Amino acid sequence: MAQSQHLTAPVGTVVSRMRALDAELPERDGIAVFNRVYLAVTEEVERRLDAGGFPDPGAAATLDVRFAERYLAAVAAEATGRRPPACWRPLFQFRRHPGVRPLQFALAGINAHVGHDLALAVVDTCRTLGCEPADLEDEFDRVGDLLVSLEERVREDLMPGPDLLQIADPLTHLIGSWSLERARDATWSAARALWALRGFEDLVEEFTERLDAVVGLAGRMLLTPLSG
């Protein structure tokens, strides 16, 4: 148990920071909507670490914290007037738009965090632990599976009921254009590519900037106002 508590302590720190955000943000704020989703994922990771649910709990905890820190850094940047990564800017720009629905906020946040931040978090973790991306594949897959299961629940909770949702509703078509499974596969490829290029700083910078921009473009599409 002492080993488990030692591993989950840093995860508990980022959980506390997300809970503080949840308490201070208006419920309908787009960042608040995503934060609630991501808080649930991180709390579940913490529970599974306590229960011994990861083959390498040290690697899983490190990856989870590095992952969360990138989201929290984007929030801190925006709050202090600095420029967050391009992948997060659409969500900050549209976070209070009355025509954007809660499901769009949730998926746009997942898109930014998985499509961009997770690839960089894998690289961060490899540097911290002195390992290769292949050594983290089990942990990456298990965290990814958690995200996929939660995304399904989010879609069920935040989609209008069958009596309200018409086949012609643009939300139906908009959310059908993005897939977390595809985003997760692309992220793993991006992480491996970044690791392979780590000795070439110019290429890493260019690759990272392009990844950031492409993910930001997808986020902007997901946040297309549908009313208001």
Side-chain angles (χ1 to χ4, degrees):
M1 180 61 71
Q3 171 76 0
S4 174
Q5 290 173 343
H6 173 71
L7 290 170
T8 57
V11 178
T13 299
V14 295
V15 165
S16 295
R17 291 170 67 187
M18 287 184 227
R19 286 176 179 160
L21 276 175
D22 186 51
E24 70 184 47
L25 292 173
E27 183 178 357
R28 182 64 174 74
D29 182 282
I31 297 296
V33 173
F34 168 71
N35 190 76
R36 288 193 294 272
V37 172
Y38 190 35
L39 174 58
V41 171
T42 310
E43 288 173 334
E44 181 60 25
V45 170
E46 189 176 28
R47 282 191 290 271
R48 293 192 184 192
L49 282 167
D50 280 332
F54 289 93
D56 186 340
T62 302
L63 177 60
D64 187 69
V65 171
R66 295 290 179 270
F67 189 27
E69 285 174 341
R70 288 194 168 271
Y71 157 62
L72 293 168
V75 173
E78 173 68 15
T80 56
R82 291 175 288 121
R83 195 168 172 82
C87 61
W88 285 106
R89 287 176 212 154
L91 186 53
F92 287 116
Q93 179 183 357
F94 287 88
R95 63 192 293 181
R96 297 181 183 91
H97 196 295
V100 179
R101 304 188 198 178
L103 179 59
Q104 293 174 262
F105 289 136
L107 294 185
I110 294 171
N111 168 70
H113 201 37
V114 172
H116 173 264
D117 294 353
L118 184 53
L120 302 186
V122 169
V123 174
D124 292 343
T125 302
C126 288
R127 287 177 174 151
T128 299
L129 300 179
C131 65
E132 299 281 329
D135 299 322
L136 299 176
E137 190 165 6
D138 283 344
E139 286 67 38
F140 179 94
D141 286 343
R142 289 180 188 235
V143 171
D145 289 344
L146 273 177
L147 288 163
V148 169
S149 64
L150 186 69
E151 186 216 13
E152 293 171 355
R153 196 167 78 214
V154 165
R155 286 179 184 255
E156 291 173 0
D157 291 347
L158 297 183
M159 278 286 276
D163 55 326
L164 300 176
L165 186 63
Q166 303 292 327
I167 191 65
D169 189 320
L171 181 62
T172 308
H173 304 283
L174 185 64
I175 66 170
S177 66
W178 184 83
S179 162
L180 177 54
E181 289 276 15
R182 290 196 298 269
R184 187 176 71 166
D185 290 344
T187 292
W188 182 244
S189 297
R192 292 175 61 201
L194 283 167
W195 186 251
L197 293 171
R198 65 191 181 280
F200 304 93
E201 292 184 11
D202 290 347
L203 288 176
V204 168
E205 182 177 358
E206 181 179 352
F207 188 102
T208 303
E209 287 178 357
R210 290 181 182 274
L211 177 66
D212 193 18
V214 167
V215 174
L217 182 62
R220 175 62 186 84
M221 177 199 69
L222 287 168
L223 292 168
T224 301
L226 302 178
S227 62

